Amino acid sequence: MRSLLAFLVFAAFVLITSQGFAEPWMATRFAQNCAGCHAPSRYNVPPKDRRCTLSCQGCHVNPNGGGLRSFYGKWNSDRWMRSFAWKIKGKDTEKPLPWFAQDYIQDKQAQEALATLMAVDGETHKVSKKPISPKDYHPKVIPSARNQRRALIKAINATKKYRDKKSGRHAFTNTESDFPEADFSEFYNERSNGDNNWNEMANSWKMFGTTVPYDDPYRLKKREAILAGLDFRYMGRQPIDSDNKSTFWPMALDIGLQMKPFVRKVDNFSIVVESRYFNTPTNTDLDYTTSSNVINRSAYVMVDDMFYNSFMMYGMYKPMFEHFTPDHTTLAQSILYNNKAYSVQNKAFSFGLAPNVPFANIHFIQPMTNTSLNQEEGYIVNLGARWVTLGASLVYSYRDVTDNNAKDANNNALKRTAHSVSAGMMYKNFVLNAEALNIAKEYTKGLENAGTITTFEVRYKLWREFYLESVFEFSNIAAGFGPGVQQMGKGDATQTTIGFRFFPVAGVDLSMHYRQTTDTPKDKTAEKFDETEGLIQAHLYF
């Protein structure tokens, strides 16, 4: 009881005094809101030219996910993944209003939307000699409250403009703060990509540009030569029902940089470098943030935004595989990556495409030149789809590698294979994800241990960007946590995590969890592992 009380006091202290790797559940969370990635109400383009996707490359520079976020990812975190807006210059971004409250100059759709919003009980209005009926639009776009109608009419007649330097036209990007009297919360989980605009093809890039504001991620990505990012995690741990002392320490600092040396001529070629400083729980001083350990997290060249939103990349990075989470202590991450998920990287060549709903990619893995580093060779394949409807997703991943650094008594390199099937959806305020991960590892050539880890994640959006979350993991093999317990040996393991995540302002992620982990080997001579702990984390990123 005393340990639990100490943990609660410690947690309160960190939460009050402290100021993301993205995760698959975030794609599920925002899949139904097109304005979650860019300004709403843009025209559509032919399929081969579309960039819109809900796969990892929707928000990250690296199409495999994780690490440096793209301008689209920064748009999302600055405007959506926060409960309150910053009151400091440069970070005081506001959520854009839904598509029907946006207006784009020299576009008849704006006039038609205004007529529709003024319509009551099915009454039609003539605009540009074309009768417009509310039935032509999504039924939810006609607010019934008088103050909402007034706010929308003001929005369409607003004077806040952005100059489109390329097409010579203006575009509005109205935000919530412009019209505080209106409540648009019910519209944000709908397809907010425009009334009929999203279903209408632009007949030229100039026409498409009239619905893309100057500060939209689409334009930023094409004109900015440098994109930088930083990610810092401060961790705390309180053992419960044990005599071990609580510990909190600077856990990791990631610094990333994307460079486009020929951005004026070729805006889809880039060089990316990311470094990771990481620390152990025994080093508690902030000095150890950058003086304990450092690795090159990734270094690669990439050409993206090609036909059907395809990409090619080559270098050192972590290829996409399974339902990834940045928590390297989960059962799945610990067993799959031999308790080293925080430092996984391969030398690889990758090709993939993500034309809206479906996506696919393949990674050819090669041994690194430095023989002290990763010597795996083989391939990884991912096939999947992510839909706007319910934020639903279904992904299959296959991994087949031979580790030249892991050899048996006869000096034979050993094989590692894995299959993963994961799915997700959002229903009302519930964000649901699940995965079945099957792993097979050779310990002697021709003889392998195999097992399955099943993961269930349930999150509930309680208020703004405050989530209650629970994660349940079950393994039919031993995890190797206890002394003398062979990883992937006969036995079973479980892990239960419950707690909350809170995103108070853009770039700040606070979490507190209660976790219980058991690892029970079938060998009675080995010791059972049973641990209960409280975890706290302050996560800063930009």
Side-chain angles (χ1 to χ4, degrees):
M1 184 64 185
R2 182 178 299 176
S3 298
L4 179 60
L5 180 61
F7 168 67
L8 293 175
V9 173
F10 154 74
F13 172 79
V14 175
L15 284 176
I16 292 172
T17 58
S18 295
Q19 275 277 89
F21 293 93
E23 302 161 49
W25 73 269
M26 293 183 181
T28 304
R29 161 72 179 88
F30 291 106
Q32 300 175 67
N33 181 5
C34 293
C37 287
H38 54 73
S41 198
R42 62 174 53 173
Y43 284 121
N44 213 335
V45 294
K48 68 180 182 64
D49 296 324
R50 292 175 192 166
R51 189 213 172 274
C52 184
T53 179
L54 300 173
S55 70
C56 299
Q57 69 191 90
C59 285
H60 289 272
V61 170
N62 188 338
N64 299 289
L68 185 63
R69 287 166 300 120
S70 66
F71 287 110
Y72 292 92
K74 290 178 182 291
W75 169 286
N76 180 276
S77 65
D78 288 347
R79 291 164 176 80
W80 297 93
M81 189 51 81
R82 45 79 166 170
S83 299
F84 304 96
W86 281 104
K87 299 301 181 183
I88 57 178
K89 188 174 181 180
K91 297 296 291 184
D92 54 348
T93 50
E94 292 283 345
K95 294 178 183 177
L97 291 176
W99 66 263
F100 52 83
Q102 298 289 335
D103 184 26
Y104 295 91
I105 299 299
Q106 300 181 17
D107 183 0
K108 289 192 298 183
Q109 293 288 342
Q111 301 174 39
E112 295 169 357
L114 176 58
T116 303
L117 293 166
M118 295 176 65
V120 181
D121 298 328
E123 179 184 354
T124 61
H125 295 255
K126 284 190 175 182
V127 179
S128 302
K129 299 181 180 180
K130 178 182 178 182
I132 303 300
S133 168
K135 294 180 181 179
D136 296 333
Y137 294 83
H138 193 293
K140 283 191 175 182
V141 307
I142 306 172
S144 57
R146 175 176 295 183
N147 67 327
Q148 286 193 358
R149 283 203 301 274
R150 288 176 177 173
L152 293 168
I153 294 170
K154 289 180 182 178
I156 287 180
N157 289 289
T159 58
K160 184 177 180 181
K161 303 173 182 177
Y162 286 94
R163 182 70 178 173
D164 182 335
K165 294 186 177 180
K166 290 188 176 181
S167 69
R169 300 188 181 189
H170 298 280
F172 291 115
T173 305
N174 298 318
T175 63
E176 284 184 318
S177 61
D178 296 323
F179 307 99
E181 68 271 28
D183 178 13
F184 300 101
S185 58
E186 67 177 296
F187 301 106
Y188 285 136
N189 277 342
E190 297 300 324
R191 187 183 184 89
S192 55
N193 195 34
D195 45 342
N196 285 331
N197 279 9
W198 74 269
N199 206 25
E200 182 177 341
M201 293 291 178
N203 56 28
S204 66
W205 285 109
K206 177 176 284 190
M207 179 180 177
F208 176 74
T210 64
T211 56
V212 182
Y214 183 69
D215 64 344
D216 188 87
Y218 176 84
R219 296 199 183 281
L220 292 172
K221 190 174 187 295
K222 289 183 173 297
R223 72 169 180 261
E224 298 296 331
I226 300 292
L227 174 64
L230 182 145
D231 189 295
F232 174 69
R233 292 175 184 266
Y234 190 82
M235 191 75 187
R237 179 178 180 272
Q238 170 64 57
I240 299 175
D241 297 331
S242 78
D243 295 330
N244 295 330
K245 295 182 179 180
S246 61
T247 307
F248 37 104
W249 71 100
M251 185 174 67
L253 173 67
D254 289 353
I255 301 174
L257 182 67
Q258 180 188 30
M259 298 162 286
K260 294 185 175 182
F262 316 113
V263 67
R264 293 184 181 275
K265 298 292 184 181
V266 184
D267 57 43
N268 63 339
F269 171 79
S270 58
I271 303 169
V272 181
V273 178
E274 294 176 285
S275 295
R276 167 168 289 179
Y277 298 89
F278 63 98
N279 188 24
T280 62
T282 57
N283 300 325
T284 59
D285 292 337
L286 283 174
D287 293 353
Y288 287 104
T289 304
T290 57
S291 61
S292 184
N293 300 282
V294 60
I295 60 173
N296 177 25
R297 185 183 179 191
S298 66
Y300 56 89
V301 294
M302 177 177 67
V303 179
D304 62 352
D305 282 0
M306 299 190 297
F307 56 92
Y308 293 101
N309 199 22
S310 57
F311 71 89
M312 293 189 300
M313 59 190 298
Y314 175 76
M316 292 182 290
Y317 49 89
K318 181 184 181 300
M320 179 191 296
F321 180 74
E322 52 91 33
H323 184 72
F324 178 75
T325 169
D327 184 355
H328 62 273
T329 63
T330 63
L331 287 185
Q333 298 293 304
S334 298
I335 297 174
L336 180 62
Y337 297 113
N338 301 319
N339 300 319
K340 294 183 178 180
Y342 57 87
S343 61
V344 172
Q345 65 172 198
N346 295 98
K347 184 166 83 170
F349 170 78
S350 302
F351 174 78
L353 67 169
N356 199 242
V357 172
F359 66 90
N361 49 68
I362 184 168
H363 313 272
F364 299 97
I365 298 172
Q366 309 157 34
M368 291 191 181
T369 305
N370 185 340
T371 56
S372 65
L373 300 177
N374 198 324
Q375 293 298 296
E376 291 179 337
E377 58 180 322
Y379 64 94
I380 295 174
V381 176
N382 297 279
L383 302 171
R386 292 184 176 274
W387 294 270
V388 171
T389 305
L390 294 177
S393 65
L394 182 63
V395 183
Y396 170 73
S397 301
Y398 177 68
R399 183 174 187 260
D400 188 322
V401 299
T402 299
D403 189 351
N404 294 303
N405 272 344
K407 297 184 177 181
D408 64 9
N410 296 318
N411 205 35
N412 294 312
L414 301 176
K415 193 172 184 178
R416 312 281 194 248
T417 60
H419 302 261
S420 168
V421 177
S422 61
M425 64 175 288
M426 184 172 184
Y427 179 72
K428 295 186 177 179
N429 280 5
F430 285 96
V431 183
L432 310 172
N433 294 93
E435 179 192 38
L437 173 64
N438 180 265
I439 304 172
K441 295 183 181 181
E442 286 185 335
Y443 289 88
T444 301
K445 189 67 175 179
L447 299 175
E448 64 181 22
N449 290 359
T452 300
I453 302 102
T454 305
T455 303
F456 297 98
E457 299 179 3
V458 180
R459 292 176 176 85
Y460 181 77
K461 192 169 83 72
L462 185 65
W463 174 79
R464 296 196 176 189
E465 294 307 313
F466 184 97
Y467 298 84
L468 301 179
E469 60 181 6
S470 55
V471 181
F472 308 97
E473 290 189 279
F474 310 92
S475 170
N476 62 1
I477 50 175
F481 291 149
V485 179
Q486 180 187 354
Q487 190 176 76
M488 298 212 45
K490 293 181 179 180
D492 60 75
T494 64
Q495 189 174 84
T496 301
T497 305
I498 57 174
F500 70 81
R501 293 277 293 276
F502 179 43
F503 300 83
V505 291
V508 179
D509 170 14
L510 305 175
S511 63
M512 183 170 68
H513 294 96
Y514 170 91
R515 171 175 288 177
Q516 183 174 37
T517 305
T518 63
D519 187 8
T520 309
K522 196 169 184 179
D523 182 0
K524 300 302 180 183
T525 62
E527 184 178 341
K528 177 182 177 180
F529 179 83
D530 192 343
E531 181 181 70
T532 305
E533 58 187 343
L535 302 171
I536 191 86
Q537 183 174 203
H539 179 201
L540 285 169
Y541 54 94
F542 74 87

